[in-house]
Amino acid sequence: ILTGDDEDEEIYSTEDCEFAAKKRKKDHFRNNTDSQCFYREKWIYVHKESTRERHGYCTLGEAFNRLDFSSAIQDIRRFNYVVKLLQLIAKSQLTSLSGAAQKNYFNILDKIVRKVMEDQYNPRLIKDLLQDLSSTLCILIRGVGKSVLVGNINIWICRLETILLWQQQLKNLQMNKQVNNGLTLSDLPLHMLNNILYRFSDGWDIITLGQVTPTLYMLSEDRQLWKKLCQYHFAEKQFCRHLIPSEKGHIDWKLMYFALQKYYPIKEQYGDTLHFCRHCSILFWKDTGHPCTASDPNTCLMPVSPQHFIDLFKF
């Protein structure tokens, strides 16, 4: 280390310089090793009991790194899963995030917003996430005297300003019109269009698709379609508590769906989810695998919902 004078004068002894050089080499080796492990092993061991070891290694911040959520959002099968996970954290776990977990959380969130702005993929989902996040932060920032947030309050205020900026950008997002002279959705026969609508598990997706053409709107208003959707998400005994008859005396299944949604959780569907091995206590993406020692690994696997993931890391 040298001073800023014209004649560079060493202020440390030779022994100190050698020590500093060795430390730099050691840190460089450690960083390279950690980086290799990060890309090679995309799984994390989850301890069954709360121990000092668990507090040191099984944290949300560590899980974000080891499970590589930054790359997961580029996979269309995992995108909704990761967004839902971040939304649940925004609602209930912000106060428990460490500094490293905060940094990872907002880095992933930034990449999600960029992806939506560039690819225009599922903007409604990220809008809901940002709305929940901004609402929670506004409440928590008011409680700064109680030290409810980890870190400097000014950093959180800056993050809130960034979230509000993202919300404005998504509000002004213009969907690009694709020019295609080939076969379009409107050219498909009615039975195929109807089959597409029956594949949807979210009522808002059905309504959105129904706004594309008059034909799709007619199909999206079908009572049988909404009845099937209600039966998929809710139990029959829940119907009886919230019967909504139409003017003709029939049950209005569309209104029923949205009424039931206010009182009961709907089933979640994801193209790909994290899995937990009960034998090894390891959390991992199924297609990346993990070093399982069970004789029949498939019998030990359990899909992990976003809520279950958060529960695994609650102390």
Side-chain angles (χ1 to χ4, degrees):
I1 300 178
L2 307 175
T3 62
D5 298 333
D6 293 337
E7 295 182 1
D8 294 335
E9 179 183 357
E10 296 185 5
I11 61 174
Y12 282 127
S13 65
T14 304
E15 182 179 352
D16 291 332
C17 288
E18 291 178 356
F19 175 78
K22 290 180 180 179
K23 186 176 186 303
R24 284 196 298 271
K25 290 181 180 180
K26 184 177 180 180
D27 291 341
H28 179 71
F29 175 78
R30 184 187 298 113
N31 291 336
N32 287 343
T33 303
D34 292 343
S35 177
Q36 292 170 1
C37 291
F38 173 78
Y39 289 105
R40 185 176 68 250
E41 300 173 351
K42 296 181 180 180
W43 50 265
I44 187 170
Y45 179 75
V46 180
H47 296 261
K48 298 178 181 179
E49 299 177 356
S50 181
T51 62
R52 292 182 63 183
E53 185 179 4
R54 170 173 177 166
H55 283 277
Y57 296 97
C58 292
T59 64
L60 278 174
E62 181 69 12
F64 282 160
N65 277 335
R66 293 293 297 274
L67 297 173
D68 197 12
F69 284 153
S70 293
S71 298
I73 62 173
Q74 303 301 327
D75 189 331
I76 194 172
R77 300 170 303 162
R78 300 174 181 174
F79 182 86
N80 291 4
Y81 183 90
V82 176
V83 172
K84 180 63 176 180
L85 175 59
L86 296 189
Q87 188 174 17
L88 291 175
I89 293 175
K91 290 181 178 180
S92 62
Q93 298 297 308
L94 282 182
T95 56
S96 64
L97 293 181
S98 65
Q102 293 172 24
K103 185 176 181 180
N104 290 335
Y105 182 93
F106 282 94
N107 283 342
I108 295 171
L109 186 57
D110 178 60
K111 292 180 180 180
I112 289 176
V113 174
R114 290 184 184 183
K115 178 177 176 60
V116 173
M117 295 297 294
E118 294 173 1
D119 301 344
Q120 301 177 344
Y121 177 73
N122 211 341
R124 179 171 60 85
L125 193 64
I126 188 61
K127 286 179 181 178
D128 292 341
L129 164 58
L130 293 178
Q131 181 58 44
D132 289 336
L133 184 57
S134 61
S135 299
T136 303
L137 267 184
C138 286
I139 295 173
L140 294 177
I141 287 175
R142 293 192 191 103
V144 63
K146 300 178 181 179
S147 301
V148 293
L149 289 169
V150 176
N152 191 304
I153 188 62
N154 293 324
I155 295 178
W156 284 103
I157 292 175
C158 290
R159 287 170 176 165
L160 179 58
E161 292 174 349
T162 301
I163 293 168
L164 297 177
L165 176 62
W166 286 337
Q167 288 179 306
Q168 188 62 41
Q169 291 174 345
L170 289 171
K171 184 179 179 180
N172 299 331
L173 178 64
Q174 297 293 328
M175 305 298 287
N176 296 330
K177 293 184 178 180
Q178 296 183 357
V179 179
N180 189 349
N181 298 325
L183 188 69
T184 65
L185 192 64
S186 302
D187 298 323
L188 297 176
L190 286 179
H191 74 276
M192 293 185 67
L193 293 174
N194 200 45
N195 191 25
I196 291 173
L197 284 166
Y198 271 83
R199 302 277 179 171
F200 283 79
S201 62
D202 189 300
W204 284 111
D205 290 335
I206 293 176
I207 291 177
T208 302
L209 185 58
Q211 295 172 347
V212 176
T213 65
T215 301
L216 285 170
Y217 174 77
M218 177 194 66
L219 294 175
S220 69
E221 292 294 311
D222 180 50
R223 290 180 63 252
Q224 192 66 22
L225 170 66
W226 290 97
K227 181 179 179 180
K228 291 289 186 181
L229 194 63
C230 287
Q231 291 175 337
Y232 172 76
H233 285 290
F234 310 106
E236 186 175 351
K237 62 181 180 180
Q238 296 171 336
F239 298 160
C240 301
R241 302 174 185 175
H242 304 278
L243 288 176
I244 304 177
S246 63
E247 296 179 356
K248 298 180 180 180
H250 301 296
I251 297 177
D252 192 328
W253 290 104
K254 182 179 178 180
L255 290 179
M256 172 80 79
Y257 170 81
F258 289 104
L260 293 171
Q261 194 180 37
K262 295 179 181 179
Y263 299 100
Y264 311 104
I266 62 175
K267 291 182 179 179
E268 298 178 358
Q269 275 192 340
Y270 303 102
D272 190 18
T273 67
L274 288 169
H275 280 68
F276 181 74
C277 178
R278 291 187 294 266
H279 178 79
C280 306
S281 297
I282 286 179
L283 191 64
F284 64 101
W285 293 106
K286 189 174 182 179
D287 61 350
T288 60
H290 75 288
C292 188
T293 58
S295 55
D296 189 0
N298 291 330
T299 61
C300 307
L301 302 186
M302 178 180 67
V304 176
S305 68
Q307 184 59 57
H308 186 196
F309 174 88
I310 292 177
D311 293 338
L312 287 173
F313 295 93
K314 282 183 179 178
F315 303 144

